[in-house]
Amino acid sequence: MSISRYVFGLGILLLVCACHDNAEVEAFGFEKPAHFPEPTYTFDNNPVTEAGFILGKRIFNDGSLSRDGSVSCASCHDQAAAFSDPQHRLSIGIDGRVGDRNAPQIANLAFMKNFFWDGGVIHVDFIPLNAIENPKEMDEKPTEVIKKLQTDTKYPELFQQAFGTPEITTPRMLHALSQFMVMMVSSNSAYDKYLLGQEALTQEELKGLELFDEKCSSCHSGVLFTDQTFRNNGLDSEFTDLGRGVITEKDDDYGKFKVPNLRNVELTAPYMHDGRFESLAEVLEHYTNNIQHSGTLDPQLKDGIAMSEEEKSHIISFLESLTDYDFIANPQFFK
């Protein structure tokens, strides 16, 4: 990433932090970027409203979702890291319990077909239930969460504004959380501006794009930078985490994990489902020299991906052009 672009992004972050309270109110709602595919989220059943978004944001940041009030959704999904968990290799839950995987970023959920590293959830509305009920994450029952929200004097009015009555229910809580999360659309990186003819990429970034298309785009395809499939990318020859196999119980899915979205990837270390790599350089080195063979290894990786050190540098420069500074500094997501 160029110094000038970094300084510009930092300046934007400081500017919006200083003045977002005085910003003019604009029309509110979900808007698909012109160069993005159609969303998969069921907006007909749960249209985004400003009141629903505000309620969802409050719940997202509320520790009441966990058994002892210590863990919120935001605990593992930091806006500055594109709503990923940059603090831990394996995400930490209630009582300091170490989870099984690193929490993935939750940008652009409105366009995804399945969720989590193993695809165990196929609708945004049900994502929070997994975290709430997981004993290593929030270790709570949804019925208990609702009881806690009902005793908070601020929530009845917020539910009234969002849904027309003050009744606090699990479906309404989940709909509010979805309204907040599907608004996390990251689509304004330097690469997006290049696609739309608004900004030029550097020569190094363009070379990286060319190499990325050649060596990486068969899996990290399209503007979402994921084909949304599940693949074994050669991390291990034996599996302590069966990945997609946990869900399907099929031997052919052992060791397969969802191809991650690479938007804002510069910010979302550590990498892979278990956070084993701390840098993009380590990730590319893995694909070049450290592929582990097993029965479910993706056939494209049986010989690794040949990349020189110079080519790796170019690819990383391109990946850094996917950082969306407007997204990570967007004041509408601030607590």
Side-chain angles (χ1 to χ4, degrees):
M1 176 178 61
S2 67
I3 296 297
S4 60
R5 186 173 290 157
Y6 175 83
V7 172
F8 175 76
L10 182 59
I12 290 292
L13 175 61
L14 294 175
L15 178 62
V16 297
C17 287
C19 66
H20 75 275
D21 288 338
N22 298 319
E24 293 183 5
V25 176
E26 299 179 354
F28 194 90
F30 180 86
E31 183 175 347
K32 182 186 82 68
H35 59 303
F36 268 42
E38 290 300 315
T40 58
Y41 186 72
T42 51
F43 287 101
D44 288 346
N45 294 333
N46 186 31
V48 176
T49 66
E50 186 169 12
F53 175 90
I54 290 171
L55 172 60
K57 176 164 62 173
R58 182 180 179 87
I59 299 172
F60 187 88
N61 289 283
D62 193 338
S64 297
L65 273 63
S66 62
R67 174 171 47 78
D68 65 357
S70 65
V71 179
S72 69
C73 300
S75 298
C76 292
H77 297 286
D78 182 353
Q79 181 178 356
F83 294 100
S84 69
D85 182 3
Q87 299 297 322
H88 309 102
R89 174 178 171 178
L90 301 175
S91 295
I92 305 297
I94 196 168
D95 298 329
R97 296 173 186 173
V98 179
D100 298 319
R101 298 170 183 162
N102 179 262
Q105 65 163 305
I106 53 176
N108 295 330
L109 294 185
F111 305 95
M112 300 297 171
K113 298 183 296 185
N114 43 59
F115 309 93
F116 298 115
W117 284 104
D118 57 19
V121 169
I122 59 172
H123 197 288
V124 174
D125 289 355
F126 301 114
I127 292 174
L129 290 178
N130 280 51
I132 290 170
E133 296 178 325
N134 190 315
K136 293 183 178 181
E137 296 184 42
M138 294 179 169
D139 193 30
E140 184 60 291
K141 299 179 177 63
T143 52
E144 295 302 312
V145 173
I146 295 304
K147 289 178 183 177
K148 286 183 275 188
L149 299 187
Q150 289 170 339
T151 61
D152 187 316
T153 58
K154 296 180 180 179
Y155 274 116
E157 178 59 27
L158 291 173
F159 274 83
Q160 170 78 45
Q161 294 170 2
F163 298 110
T165 73
E167 184 181 10
I168 300 174
T169 66
T170 298
R172 284 182 165 186
M173 175 187 73
L174 295 175
H175 271 173
L177 282 167
S178 290
Q179 289 189 43
F180 178 63
M181 292 190 294
V182 297
M183 289 291 286
M184 297 175 184
V185 177
S186 179
S187 63
N188 200 34
S189 67
Y191 174 72
D192 293 295
K193 295 170 185 175
Y194 162 77
L195 281 183
L196 297 171
Q198 299 169 354
E199 181 177 303
L201 294 179
T202 67
Q203 288 302 308
E204 187 174 10
E205 290 165 345
L206 287 171
K207 182 60 176 177
L209 170 57
E210 180 182 344
L211 290 164
F212 181 89
D213 285 342
E214 175 189 343
K215 299 177 182 292
C216 311
S217 65
S218 59
C219 298
H220 297 285
S221 58
V223 295
L224 298 177
F225 290 91
T226 172
D227 64 0
Q228 304 197 53
T229 62
F230 300 89
R231 299 174 185 258
N232 174 353
N233 64 341
L235 293 175
D236 300 295
S237 57
E238 298 181 356
F239 313 117
T240 56
D241 185 337
L242 298 182
R244 182 66 172 165
V246 172
I247 305 303
T248 66
E249 299 183 342
K250 295 180 178 179
D251 293 353
D252 288 348
D253 285 330
Y254 284 5
K256 292 183 179 180
F257 296 89
K258 184 176 179 180
V259 175
N261 159 27
L262 295 185
R263 285 182 168 273
N264 299 295
V265 69
E266 175 187 12
L267 308 175
T268 59
Y271 303 108
M272 305 299 172
H273 69 278
D274 58 3
R276 68 177 64 189
F277 298 135
E278 296 181 0
S279 69
L280 292 172
E282 289 182 44
V283 172
L284 296 185
E285 176 65 14
H286 161 72
Y287 286 115
T288 302
N289 293 314
N290 295 318
I291 294 294
Q292 303 299 304
H293 289 259
S294 65
T296 60
L297 176 67
D298 192 299
Q300 298 180 89
L301 298 176
K302 62 184 180 65
D303 297 319
I305 302 175
M307 289 178 280
S308 68
E309 293 306 309
E310 182 179 21
E311 287 175 329
K312 291 175 185 177
S313 177
H314 288 317
I315 290 172
I316 290 173
S317 292
F318 168 67
L319 292 174
E320 289 172 346
S321 80
L322 302 180
T323 303
D324 183 347
Y325 296 104
D326 291 340
F327 176 65
I328 64 172
N330 189 334
Q332 74 176 357
F333 300 120
F334 293 172
K335 294 181 183 179

